[in-house]
Amino acid sequence: MADNADRAAVTIQQSLEAVLASRAALATQATNSECDDCGYEIPAARREAAPWATTCIECQGIRELKNKQGR
């Protein structure tokens, strides 16, 4: 019979596996080298550092400012 600690451990393990799977999917998802917002090429350094990135640094900064102001 499983106790609360066993159930918690299983839940945590399942959560970790789900997060890791979603991160792996993100890494393989962004194969386009063009920014979704401006259409210019995403620099190679950014694609290497963040292979899941779909925007260039400038456009990502704009998105983050808009999200910050929208709170």
mmCIF file of all heavy atoms in Angstrom, residues 60-71:
data_model
loop_
_atom_site.group_PDB
_atom_site.id
_atom_site.type_symbol
_atom_site.label_atom_id
_atom_site.label_comp_id
_atom_site.label_asym_id
_atom_site.label_seq_id
_atom_site.Cartn_x
_atom_site.Cartn_y
_atom_site.Cartn_z
ATOM 1 N N GLN A 60 12.108 39.683 -29.390
ATOM 2 C CA GLN A 60 11.810 39.050 -28.104
ATOM 3 C C GLN A 60 11.755 40.097 -27.006
ATOM 4 O O GLN A 60 10.898 40.050 -26.132
ATOM 5 C CB GLN A 60 12.844 37.970 -27.772
ATOM 6 C CG GLN A 60 12.531 37.214 -26.504
ATOM 7 C CD GLN A 60 11.208 36.461 -26.568
ATOM 8 O OE1 GLN A 60 10.853 35.924 -27.612
ATOM 9 N NE2 GLN A 60 10.496 36.399 -25.471
ATOM 10 N N GLY A 61 12.664 41.068 -27.057
ATOM 11 C CA GLY A 61 12.647 42.156 -26.081
ATOM 12 C C GLY A 61 11.353 42.950 -26.143
ATOM 13 O O GLY A 61 10.780 43.323 -25.117
ATOM 14 N N ILE A 62 10.886 43.212 -27.360
ATOM 15 C CA ILE A 62 9.618 43.929 -27.534
ATOM 16 C C ILE A 62 8.468 43.117 -26.964
ATOM 17 O O ILE A 62 7.595 43.659 -26.260
ATOM 18 C CB ILE A 62 9.387 44.253 -29.022
ATOM 19 C CG1 ILE A 62 10.417 45.280 -29.499
ATOM 20 C CG2 ILE A 62 7.966 44.750 -29.264
ATOM 21 C CD1 ILE A 62 10.464 45.462 -31.005
ATOM 22 N N ARG A 63 8.454 41.814 -27.233
ATOM 23 C CA ARG A 63 7.398 40.948 -26.680
ATOM 24 C C ARG A 63 7.393 40.988 -25.161
ATOM 25 O O ARG A 63 6.336 41.065 -24.529
ATOM 26 C CB ARG A 63 7.596 39.504 -27.133
ATOM 27 C CG ARG A 63 7.171 39.213 -28.530
ATOM 28 C CD ARG A 63 7.338 37.741 -28.828
ATOM 29 N NE ARG A 63 6.839 37.398 -30.152
ATOM 30 C CZ ARG A 63 6.643 36.166 -30.561
ATOM 31 N NH1 ARG A 63 6.910 35.143 -29.770
ATOM 32 N NH2 ARG A 63 6.188 35.934 -31.780
ATOM 33 N N GLU A 64 8.585 40.921 -24.563
ATOM 34 C CA GLU A 64 8.673 40.922 -23.103
ATOM 35 C C GLU A 64 8.216 42.247 -22.523
ATOM 36 O O GLU A 64 7.554 42.276 -21.479
ATOM 37 C CB GLU A 64 10.089 40.571 -22.668
ATOM 38 C CG GLU A 64 10.427 39.115 -22.950
ATOM 39 C CD GLU A 64 11.868 38.753 -22.644
ATOM 40 O OE1 GLU A 64 12.616 39.594 -22.086
ATOM 41 O OE2 GLU A 64 12.263 37.614 -22.976
ATOM 42 N N LEU A 65 8.550 43.366 -23.173
ATOM 43 C CA LEU A 65 8.075 44.665 -22.703
ATOM 44 C C LEU A 65 6.558 44.759 -22.779
ATOM 45 O O LEU A 65 5.908 45.259 -21.853
ATOM 46 C CB LEU A 65 8.704 45.790 -23.520
ATOM 47 C CG LEU A 65 10.143 46.148 -23.185
ATOM 48 C CD1 LEU A 65 10.679 47.177 -24.182
ATOM 49 C CD2 LEU A 65 10.252 46.681 -21.771
ATOM 50 N N LYS A 66 5.986 44.266 -23.884
ATOM 51 C CA LYS A 66 4.532 44.289 -24.029
ATOM 52 C C LYS A 66 3.867 43.435 -22.957
ATOM 53 O O LYS A 66 2.853 43.828 -22.375
ATOM 54 C CB LYS A 66 4.113 43.785 -25.410
ATOM 55 C CG LYS A 66 4.376 44.789 -26.508
ATOM 56 C CD LYS A 66 3.952 44.228 -27.849
ATOM 57 C CE LYS A 66 4.208 45.216 -28.977
ATOM 58 N NZ LYS A 66 3.847 44.662 -30.288
ATOM 59 N N ASN A 67 4.435 42.254 -22.677
ATOM 60 C CA ASN A 67 3.873 41.384 -21.646
ATOM 61 C C ASN A 67 3.992 42.025 -20.271
ATOM 62 O O ASN A 67 3.091 41.903 -19.447
ATOM 63 C CB ASN A 67 4.565 40.017 -21.643
ATOM 64 C CG ASN A 67 4.126 39.161 -22.810
ATOM 65 O OD1 ASN A 67 3.068 39.361 -23.373
ATOM 66 N ND2 ASN A 67 4.962 38.215 -23.183
ATOM 67 N N LYS A 68 5.102 42.700 -20.018
ATOM 68 C CA LYS A 68 5.295 43.358 -18.735
ATOM 69 C C LYS A 68 4.302 44.485 -18.532
ATOM 70 O O LYS A 68 3.778 44.676 -17.448
ATOM 71 C CB LYS A 68 6.736 43.884 -18.646
ATOM 72 C CG LYS A 68 7.110 44.443 -17.324
ATOM 73 C CD LYS A 68 8.574 44.847 -17.307
ATOM 74 C CE LYS A 68 8.968 45.373 -15.937
ATOM 75 N NZ LYS A 68 10.385 45.763 -15.894
ATOM 76 N N GLN A 69 4.040 45.247 -19.597
ATOM 77 C CA GLN A 69 3.107 46.366 -19.508
ATOM 78 C C GLN A 69 1.662 45.897 -19.415
ATOM 79 O O GLN A 69 0.821 46.571 -18.848
ATOM 80 C CB GLN A 69 3.265 47.272 -20.718
ATOM 81 C CG GLN A 69 4.575 48.014 -20.725
ATOM 82 C CD GLN A 69 4.796 48.784 -22.008
ATOM 83 O OE1 GLN A 69 4.037 48.671 -22.971
ATOM 84 N NE2 GLN A 69 5.868 49.561 -22.043
ATOM 85 N N GLY A 70 1.382 44.712 -19.935
ATOM 86 C CA GLY A 70 0.025 44.189 -19.938
ATOM 87 C C GLY A 70 -0.424 43.626 -18.599
ATOM 88 O O GLY A 70 -1.577 43.302 -18.419
ATOM 89 N N ARG A 71 0.468 43.546 -17.650
ATOM 90 C CA ARG A 71 0.094 42.964 -16.341
ATOM 91 C C ARG A 71 -0.732 43.871 -15.522
ATOM 92 O O ARG A 71 -0.874 44.965 -15.488
ATOM 93 C CB ARG A 71 1.355 42.619 -15.538
ATOM 94 C CG ARG A 71 2.065 41.441 -16.099
ATOM 95 C CD ARG A 71 3.197 41.069 -15.214
ATOM 96 N NE ARG A 71 4.158 40.305 -15.982
ATOM 97 C CZ ARG A 71 5.283 39.859 -15.493
ATOM 98 N NH1 ARG A 71 5.609 40.090 -14.255
ATOM 99 N NH2 ARG A 71 6.110 39.186 -16.225
#
